[in-house]
Amino acid sequence: MRRIGRVLLGAAVFLAILGGTCAAGITTAMGQSYPGYRQRPPAQGWPGPKAIPGGRITVAIVVSNAGSVSADVLAPYEVFARSERFAVYTVAARRTPSPLSGGLHLLPDHTLEEVGSSAVPEPDVVVAPAVIDPTGTAERPLREWIAARSRNGSRLLGVCAGSELLAATGVLDNRRATSFWANIDSLKRSHPAVRWQSGERYVEDGTITTTAGITSGTVGALRLVERLAGAAEARRVGSALHYPGWSLDGSTAITPNHLALSDLPYALNAAFPWWRPTIGIGLTDGVGEIDAAAAFEVYSGVSFSARAIPISPTGTVTTRHGAVLLTEPAGTAVPHVDRFVVPGVRGDVPPALANWASGRGLTPELPGGGRRDDEFGFDPMLRDLAAHADGATARTTAKFSEYPVGQLRLSGASWPWRSTAIFAVALAGSVGLGLLAVALPRLLRRRTASATTRPRQSSPDSGLD
């Protein structure tokens, strides 16, 4: 029994050390993916929201003040905003800097209360992205607002795990829906009233559309453009975006994904983020929404292969279609960066960013050799990830984004050796401490027994008279 107890103690120490290391790593990675906003609000106040044109189909994209997935928000934003038939705005509980996955922040245009009080036009479409805690108390106002919009006749688009946010409102009960492939089994248990389906890029049921993981929001938004603005407009917007394999009449079926051993890079990078590189991502006014989202998702939000820091000349960037992104101002004490990349650029890097990089001894880089006119914004980012990290991480990142990569040549290292090496060290340390826990009680008992049985030495004056 004593031997069994020692073995159990050693196993407990091993699991505690290794599990604690993994937990600390995941906490670090997630904290850097959804960092707090470090800058002070400008003295003149935040930029005012853009005007909402009348006579258009109105789209409200929901943003959580606690954190939302970048591409879930920005990809549908660009799809709808590329059409003059639509007017798009972002909405949150408060108009404060709101984290987007990967390290970016967005300033919402309007508040839930403004829409509810008719100070802002009621939306014809509401887009629900994945948020950090879709069923938590903090998001109750968001859920109640979405349910109210649905009752008022708004169409709903749930992107990726945004379907869980919709399910938590009850609007998906007795409807067909889909979600990010890794979530569907748990959603079947937590929301059994919903008829969950896998292997579909998007699922329509009445006025509610839900999509598969992250990049699938692009295709789901194009479907709503077709429904509301016509096939010709959807074809025009979709042709300009170049989502791989998309066509107006294409099948919604996609290959169902499942966890596999090849997904190990995702776990290694998330659990062991130490000593990964820091990448500065340069943004300027007019950057495409999908280009910006792709940079933060691919480097940090999904792959966890790097820490990403947004940098712009002034700290505030207005995207091509009017979203307000908040960054580190180039003139302030920006943390050290190992690389400086500028997404979405097809020519020269803007002078303000080139000068900042030069002052830091950095060379601005165009990810993946630069964005081509005939490819989607994730393509150059995934090429760059494979070249500077490894191909296994790039392929896993595409899988967890539900993004097709058959059109890409991904060249680079074969495996994430940095995180693997850290895992090996953590594993060896945990095994060593576990073995020490097994051996230490025996060593202590032997030492105690030796001390108690050792012959006593006579003192100099203890002899016979």
Side-chain angles (χ1 to χ4, degrees), residues 265 269 276-277 279 298-299 303-306 339 381-395 397 411-419:
N269 289 331
R276 61 182 180 172
I279 300 178
V298 168
Y299 288 132
S303 76
F304 299 109
S305 66
R339 296 178 59 207
M381 306 311 307
L382 287 167
R383 286 200 304 271
D384 193 74
L385 181 65
H388 287 87
D390 62 276
T393 292
R395 286 186 288 274
T397 299
S411 59
S414 60
W415 191 257
W417 298 113
R418 176 198 57 81
S419 55

Side-chain angles (χ1 to χ4, degrees), residues 157-158 163 166 172 176-178 201-204 208-212:
L157 173 61
S163 57
L166 296 185
L172 291 182
R176 295 179 298 111
T178 192
R201 182 65 73 184
Y202 63 85
V203 169
E204 292 180 290
I208 301 179
T209 303
T210 51
T211 80

Side-chain angles (χ1 to χ4, degrees), residues 355-396:
N355 292 338
W356 179 86
S358 177
R360 288 251 178 156
L362 297 167
T363 300
E365 303 174 41
L366 304 184
R371 166 80 181 278
R372 298 197 301 264
D373 289 334
D374 61 347
E375 64 182 1
F376 192 66
F378 271 68
D379 287 4
M381 306 311 307
L382 287 167
R383 286 200 304 271
D384 193 74
L385 181 65
H388 287 87
D390 62 276
T393 292
R395 286 186 288 274
T396 303

Side-chain angles (χ1 to χ4, degrees), residues 51-320:
I52 301 174
R56 298 189 182 187
I57 302 165
T58 305
V59 179
I61 299 186
V62 167
V63 178
S64 167
N65 290 128
S68 312
V69 171
S70 293
D72 290 5
V73 172
L74 293 175
Y77 188 108
E78 179 166 348
V79 171
F80 290 116
R82 275 181 174 262
S83 172
E84 293 186 355
R85 298 286 302 278
F86 294 86
V88 187
Y89 62 81
T90 53
V91 61
R94 301 179 304 280
R95 194 167 191 260
T96 57
S98 301
L100 299 181
S101 58
L104 196 57
H105 284 82
L106 179 139
L107 182 65
D109 293 320
H110 299 286
T111 66
L112 306 178
E113 184 179 358
E114 286 175 328
V115 179
S117 64
S118 300
V120 176
E122 278 279 346
D124 300 293
V125 178
V126 172
V127 178
V131 301
I132 284 182
D133 189 12
T135 61
T137 303
E139 300 298 1
R140 179 179 297 166
L142 211 57
R143 295 193 297 269
E144 293 175 347
W145 185 89
I146 290 171
R149 305 286 77 71
S150 181
R151 290 193 297 271
N152 289 346
S154 297
R155 288 179 175 267
L156 304 181
L157 173 61
V159 179
C160 187
S163 57
E164 185 173 6
L165 181 62
L166 296 185
T169 71
V171 299
L172 291 182
D173 287 356
N174 302 313
R175 292 180 183 264
R176 295 179 298 111
T178 192
S179 188
F180 172 48
W181 61 268
N183 287 358
I184 288 182
D185 286 344
S186 63
L187 288 171
K188 287 178 179 179
R189 295 189 294 270
S190 59
H191 298 283
V194 183
R195 302 199 299 275
W196 297 104
Q197 297 181 281
S198 58
E200 298 287 342
R201 182 65 73 184
Y202 63 85
V203 169
E204 292 180 290
D205 193 317
T207 58
I208 301 179
T209 303
T210 51
T211 80
I214 299 180
T215 67
S216 305
T218 302
V219 181
L222 285 169
R223 178 59 168 171
L224 286 181
V225 172
E226 179 189 1
R227 288 286 192 196
L228 300 173
E233 186 69 349
R235 185 179 292 110
R236 183 189 68 79
V237 174
S239 298
L241 291 172
H242 302 288
Y243 190 92
W246 177 85
S247 65
L248 192 63
D249 301 317
S251 172
T252 63
I254 56 177
T255 302
N257 283 313
H258 305 281
L259 284 174
L261 189 61
S262 59
D263 299 328
L264 189 56
Y266 177 84
L268 289 170
N269 289 331
F272 303 98
W274 299 286
W275 297 292
R276 61 182 180 172
T278 298
I279 300 178
I281 298 179
L283 302 175
T284 57
D285 289 341
V287 65
E289 291 83 4
I290 291 174
D291 290 335
F296 291 92
E297 294 288 26
V298 168
Y299 288 132
S300 180
V302 178
S303 76
F304 299 109
S305 66
R307 179 188 180 191
I309 298 178
I311 301 167
S312 72
T314 64
T316 302
V317 170
T318 301
T319 65
R320 183 180 303 160

